[in-house]
Amino acid sequence: MKPAPKMLYMLMLTGSHDAAVPVRRTNPFNGEPVDVYPPALTDAENAEAERLLARHGARCEGRRHVLQLGDGTAVEVVAGVDDGEPGRWSVSFGAYLQHLSRDAMRFLFELCDAGSFILEGADVGVVTRAAVMDQHCDDGFVLVRSPEALEILMKEGRSAYAKHVGSS
């Protein structure tokens, strides 16, 4: 039997608080300059996320970190989507279609927790720390306390996650 085709899963992570220093941008509607406070990481959060990548044996190529999980899942983490927003990271998983492994969920949970990131989903923002949730309680985010709970939320959706949390 032919194996299922691989699929690339790309997820965005953002810092859980605003930068202390504004970044000057151009308002796309009127062309005038405006100061914005993009999502940010503290130096400690950034260092902890970098330590996690090193623990997983990531090869560092500039802002790009490449690693392979124990189950063979290929992972690429880009620290800072562009030079103006170091608080925005992306994580890509090369995995078989319709399958993000337990190892992938564990790694994603650990990375989110290390950097106090918000995992941006299609219909929900996910956080792993209660303190971050407290800062964003009105934003419709979901607090996930384990890799297993993250897996349920990502694979089965909010209603399955709500049932899981209710039964815990």
Side-chain angles (χ1 to χ4, degrees):
M1 183 160 87
K2 184 178 158 184
K6 283 203 173 185
M7 180 166 191
L8 179 67
Y9 293 86
M10 181 177 238
L11 305 165
M12 297 301 294
L13 306 175
T14 60
S16 59
H17 46 85
D18 295 336
V21 178
V23 175
R24 174 92 8 148
R25 297 279 165 78
T26 301
N27 182 319
F29 299 106
N30 62 19
E32 294 187 20
V34 62
D35 288 337
V36 296
Y37 294 83
L41 299 176
T42 65
D43 290 342
E45 290 165 344
N46 191 63
E48 188 59 31
E50 295 281 347
R51 275 192 290 279
L52 175 80
L53 292 169
R55 264 195 322 270
H56 279 276
R59 272 187 347 267
C60 183
E61 303 167 359
R63 291 183 304 136
R64 211 170 138 251
H65 303 266
V66 179
L67 62 122
Q68 191 167 23
L69 300 176
D71 66 359
T73 301
V75 182
E76 178 180 288
V77 178
V78 179
V81 174
D82 64 39
D83 293 332
E85 292 194 40
R88 292 183 61 84
W89 290 32
S90 67
V91 180
S92 301
F93 293 96
Y96 287 102
L97 188 63
Q98 298 301 315
H99 179 71
L100 278 176
S101 68
R102 287 254 157 97
D103 284 356
M105 292 294 100
R106 190 174 307 108
F107 173 78
L108 184 58
F109 180 86
E110 289 174 3
L111 182 60
C112 286
D113 200 49
S116 295
F117 284 112
I118 296 169
L119 172 61
E120 296 180 358
D123 63 345
V124 65
V126 178
V127 298
T128 60
R129 294 183 176 191
V132 173
M133 186 67 176
D134 291 344
Q135 294 170 354
H136 297 279
C137 60
D138 294 331
D139 296 332
F141 291 174
V142 172
L143 175 62
V144 175
R145 297 181 186 270
S146 71
E148 296 77 21
L150 178 62
E151 183 174 5
I152 291 167
L153 179 63
M154 290 192 67
K155 290 183 176 181
E156 300 176 39
R158 282 182 99 153
S159 62
Y161 174 75
K163 287 178 188 171
H164 170 76
V165 171
S167 67
S168 297

